[in-house]
């Protein structure tokens, strides 16, 4: 059969035009379709079965790694010498989280309480909960600083009480006892004569109050009326502003609850979130682009100004009274005890803090805070939230347990909460570049 060349040519021309038109339409319409699906599946709604289930019961395993600063020279510290510490750990705990008491409201918000519990993971830990560690005795040295302005006779009475309970300036206990609590008659005594200093009576542990507890009543936006507001906090424990700090700006509850963010993230945006553990809102800033297992991401990090003092960064004046830059004074939300939060090993802090303690070695890789987030959906791919707990130690006249201790902000522990795989493993799987920005384009292609 003969082939009609003009007709065949016409067919190919028409087909080519249709492909071109379809391709052009797809270029403009495709992103809109993708965006519409992202919006539809990001709204917090029980009808979105998969995304709602993931929000309610976070399926990604989280782990908390705890490192102790074991004191090597307690006697010398009492004589005024510089503390020498050795990092011990990590002691790794699997974190289980679940949202309960979920209630949807007519104003497109939803309230919930998120319960958390921790279980020790021996196979992931360097050591056991039976390991013995020496750290400052917060009950003695913390109380000493709190009492330093009281009359000397009162301080002498407290010092006698410490001796009667056989409590010294340093505490040598197992990891399990330090973490989750140990019996102490001193706790009962302090609860009676210094009410409000401790969260409970009978037992005292650094993490006792966070295990098998909730993080407070969060009310967040569902995004039903405005996807830009999804996951953002409307109130916490009924408060739209905190009462811990000295300025309205510092008392603001900003951003999300720290697990998810609104979609369509750009480099110019920040990642704000409210942390009940830090008693304030925090904000991460864009650092660079990259990929994780082929998935595009933006890396956000904690800025140097996050824990800067009011002298170096004026907006932080409301978090004072301040000491050296890099320390957050959380005494106002920690029973007035002289406790400070910092980044681990005083990373991004005033270098003078490193001069007061031997055995610290800060680095961005090991001690920096970061979130790797998928910019289209607002879902974190890698998370490493690292914080250090420090205690102000000093000689207090009348309380002999303080000896001749030189005034120092003493690191006790630091901990890291991260997704499964860990930061070291994530580093092997995450490709980061300074300038490339393939992310959103890859999503649209």
């Amino acid at each position: 059969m003969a082939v009609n060349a003009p007709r065949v040519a016409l067919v190919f021309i028409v087909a080519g035009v249709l492909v071109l038109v379809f391709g052009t339409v797809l270029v403009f319409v495709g992103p809109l379709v993708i965006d519409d699906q992202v919006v539809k599946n990001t709204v917090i709604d029980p009808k979105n079965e998969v995304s709602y289930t993931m929000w309610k019961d976070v399926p990604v395993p989280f782990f908390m790694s705890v490192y102790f600063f074991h004191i090597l020279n307690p006697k010398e510290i009492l004589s005024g010498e510089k503390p020498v510490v050795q990092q011990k750990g990590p002691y790794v705990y699997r974190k289980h989280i679940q949202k309960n008491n979920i209630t949807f409201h007519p104003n497109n918000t939803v309230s919930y309480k998120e319960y958390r519990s921790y279980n020790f993971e021996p196979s992931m830990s360097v050591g056991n909960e039976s390991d013995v560690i020496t750290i400052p005795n917060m009950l003695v040295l913390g109380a000493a600083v709190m009492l330093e302005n009281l009359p000397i006779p009162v301080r002498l009475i407290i010092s006698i009480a410490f001796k009667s309970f056989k409590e010294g300036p340093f505490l040598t206990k197992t990891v399990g006892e330090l973490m989750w609590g140990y019996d102490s008659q001193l706790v009962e005594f302090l609860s009676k004569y210094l009410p409000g200093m401790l969260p409970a009576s009978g037992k005292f542990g650094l993490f006792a109050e966070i295990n098998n507890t909730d993080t407070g009543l969060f009310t967040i936006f569902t995004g039903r009326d405005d996807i830009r507001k999804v996951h953002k906090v409307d109130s916490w424990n009924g408060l739209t502003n905190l009462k811990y700090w000295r300025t309205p700006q510092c008392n603001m509850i900003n951003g999300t609850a720290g697990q998810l963010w609104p979609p369509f993230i750009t480099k110019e945006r920040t990642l704000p979130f409210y942390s009940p553990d830090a008693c304030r809102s925090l904000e991460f800033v864009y650092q660079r682009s990259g990929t994780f297992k082929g998935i595009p991401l933006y890396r956000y990090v904690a800025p140097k100004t996050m824990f800067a003092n009011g002298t170096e960064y004026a907006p932080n004046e409301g978090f004072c009274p301040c000491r050296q830059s890099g320390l957050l004074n959380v005494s106002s939300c920690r029973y007035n005890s002289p406790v400070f939060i910092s980044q681990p090993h005083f990373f991004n802090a005033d270098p003078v803090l490193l001069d007061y303690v031997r055995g610290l070695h800060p680095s961005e890789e090991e001690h920096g805070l970061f979130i790797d987030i998928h910019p289209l959906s607002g879902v974190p791919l890698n998370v490493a939230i690292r914080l250090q707990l420090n205690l102000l130690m000093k000689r207090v006249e009348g309380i002999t347990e303080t000896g001749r201790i030189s005034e120092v902000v003493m690191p006790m522990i630091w901990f890291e909460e991260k997704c499964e795989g860990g930061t070291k493993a994530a580093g092997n799987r995450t490709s980061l570049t300074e300038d490339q920005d393939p992310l959103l384009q890859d999503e649209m292609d």
Side-chain angles (χ1 to χ4, degrees):
M1 182 173 63
V3 177
N4 190 325
R7 181 174 297 176
V8 172
L10 180 61
V11 170
F12 276 107
I13 291 173
V14 172
V17 170
L18 290 175
V19 170
L20 179 62
V21 171
F22 181 76
T24 303
V25 170
L26 189 61
V27 167
F28 291 99
V29 177
L32 298 179
V33 174
I34 294 174
D35 288 358
D36 182 65
Q37 289 299 311
V38 169
V39 171
K40 180 180 178 181
N41 289 288
T42 302
V43 173
I44 302 174
D45 188 339
K47 295 179 181 178
N48 294 336
E49 185 174 347
V50 175
S51 59
Y52 178 75
T53 301
M54 291 178 63
W55 170 79
K56 180 176 179 291
D57 301 313
V58 180
V60 180
F62 274 81
F63 296 92
M64 180 177 71
S65 300
V66 179
Y67 300 81
F68 286 85
F69 291 105
H70 174 59
I71 297 175
L72 299 178
N73 63 335
K75 291 183 180 179
E76 289 77 7
I77 293 174
L78 287 175
S79 299
E81 294 187 22
K82 184 181 297 186
V84 180
V85 299
Q86 179 184 21
Q87 179 175 289
K88 295 281 191 177
Y91 299 94
V92 182
Y93 297 84
R94 184 179 180 121
K95 181 181 180 180
H96 301 267
I97 53 180
Q98 183 179 35
K99 294 179 178 66
N100 289 323
N101 305 102
I102 299 173
T103 306
F104 286 85
H105 306 291
N107 65 339
N108 296 311
T109 62
V110 57
S111 298
Y112 65 90
K113 285 189 174 183
E114 186 170 88
Y115 291 83
R116 52 190 175 177
S117 61
Y118 298 85
N119 295 102
F120 185 59
E121 293 283 350
S123 64
M124 300 176 66
S125 303
V126 179
N128 298 302
E129 283 194 307
S130 58
D131 292 351
V132 176
I133 304 288
T134 297
I135 63 171
N137 189 341
M138 288 184 65
L139 300 179
V140 172
L141 297 180
V145 174
M146 294 172 65
L147 296 169
E148 65 175 331
N149 294 322
L150 294 182
I152 286 185
V154 176
R155 284 179 259 161
L156 289 171
I157 293 173
I158 294 296
S159 184
I160 293 172
F162 289 155
K163 291 178 177 60
S164 65
F165 293 127
K166 297 181 180 180
E167 293 279 357
F170 300 101
L171 196 62
T172 300
K173 296 285 185 181
T174 66
V175 169
E177 289 174 320
L178 294 174
M179 287 288 296
W180 311 118
Y182 57 91
D183 293 316
S184 172
Q185 290 180 317
L186 178 58
V187 172
E188 295 286 0
F189 175 82
L190 292 176
S191 298
K192 181 178 180 179
Y193 292 101
L194 291 175
M197 177 183 173
L198 301 174
S201 60
K203 283 193 173 186
F204 178 77
L206 296 175
F207 285 81
E209 63 177 307
I210 73 168
N211 195 23
N212 297 313
T213 60
D214 63 80
T215 55
L217 180 65
F218 274 93
T219 300
I220 66 174
F221 290 97
T222 64
R224 181 181 296 276
D225 60 332
D226 186 352
I227 200 62
R228 294 170 299 180
K229 296 166 62 178
V230 67
H231 303 300
K232 289 188 176 182
V233 178
D234 181 46
S235 67
W236 175 74
N237 283 340
L239 301 173
T240 55
N241 291 284
L242 304 173
K243 299 179 180 179
Y244 302 129
W245 312 110
R246 297 169 53 191
T247 64
Q249 180 179 353
C250 291
N251 277 317
M252 292 176 65
I253 298 177
N254 297 322
T256 72
Q259 291 179 350
L260 296 164
W261 279 265
F264 314 122
I265 294 172
T266 63
K267 295 179 183 179
E268 292 72 30
R269 280 177 51 184
T270 60
L271 294 187
F273 61 99
Y274 173 64
S275 169
D277 294 326
C279 307
R280 57 166 286 191
S281 297
L282 303 173
E283 188 172 52
F284 284 18
V285 296
Y286 172 85
Q287 185 188 59
R288 46 189 167 168
S289 306
T291 60
F292 176 74
K293 293 185 176 181
I295 302 173
L297 62 82
Y298 285 165
R299 170 157 289 190
Y300 279 76
V301 299
K304 291 183 178 180
T305 56
M306 187 169 73
F307 293 147
N309 60 23
T311 302
E312 289 200 4
Y313 186 61
N316 282 353
E317 181 65 33
F319 295 119
C320 293
C322 298
R323 295 182 65 86
Q324 293 89 351
S325 203
L327 298 172
L328 175 66
N329 186 342
V330 292
S331 60
S332 60
C333 67
R334 287 291 181 268
Y335 315 103
N336 294 315
S337 58
V339 175
F340 294 81
I341 289 177
S342 68
Q343 295 189 52
H345 287 246
F346 295 132
F347 176 67
N348 271 343
D350 189 328
V352 74
L353 294 168
L354 296 176
D355 295 335
Y356 296 149
V357 182
R358 292 173 54 193
L360 304 180
H361 308 283
S363 72
E364 180 176 6
E365 179 182 0
E366 296 292 330
H367 308 126
L369 288 68
F370 71 84
I371 297 173
D372 290 341
I373 196 163
H374 183 233
L376 188 66
S377 65
V379 175
L381 304 176
N382 278 311
V383 177
I385 303 300
R386 300 155 170 164
L387 294 173
Q388 179 170 297
L389 187 66
N390 311 280
L391 179 71
L392 174 62
M393 303 191 315
K394 62 191 299 187
R395 176 182 179 273
V396 176
E397 187 179 357
I399 300 181
T400 59
E401 284 73 17
T402 61
R404 298 196 304 273
I405 294 177
S406 298
E407 185 170 328
V408 60
V409 177
M410 183 71 183
M412 295 194 299
I413 62 168
W414 72 271
F415 62 94
E416 170 189 50
E417 292 209 348
K418 59 190 177 184
C419 296
E420 184 180 20
T423 53
K424 291 183 179 179
N428 295 330
R429 297 176 295 179
T430 302
S431 174
L432 294 169
T433 61
E434 296 291 347
D435 300 317
Q436 76 176 53
D437 185 22
L439 310 183
L440 297 180
Q441 185 60 46
D442 286 349
E443 292 287 351
M444 301 309 179
D445 284 345

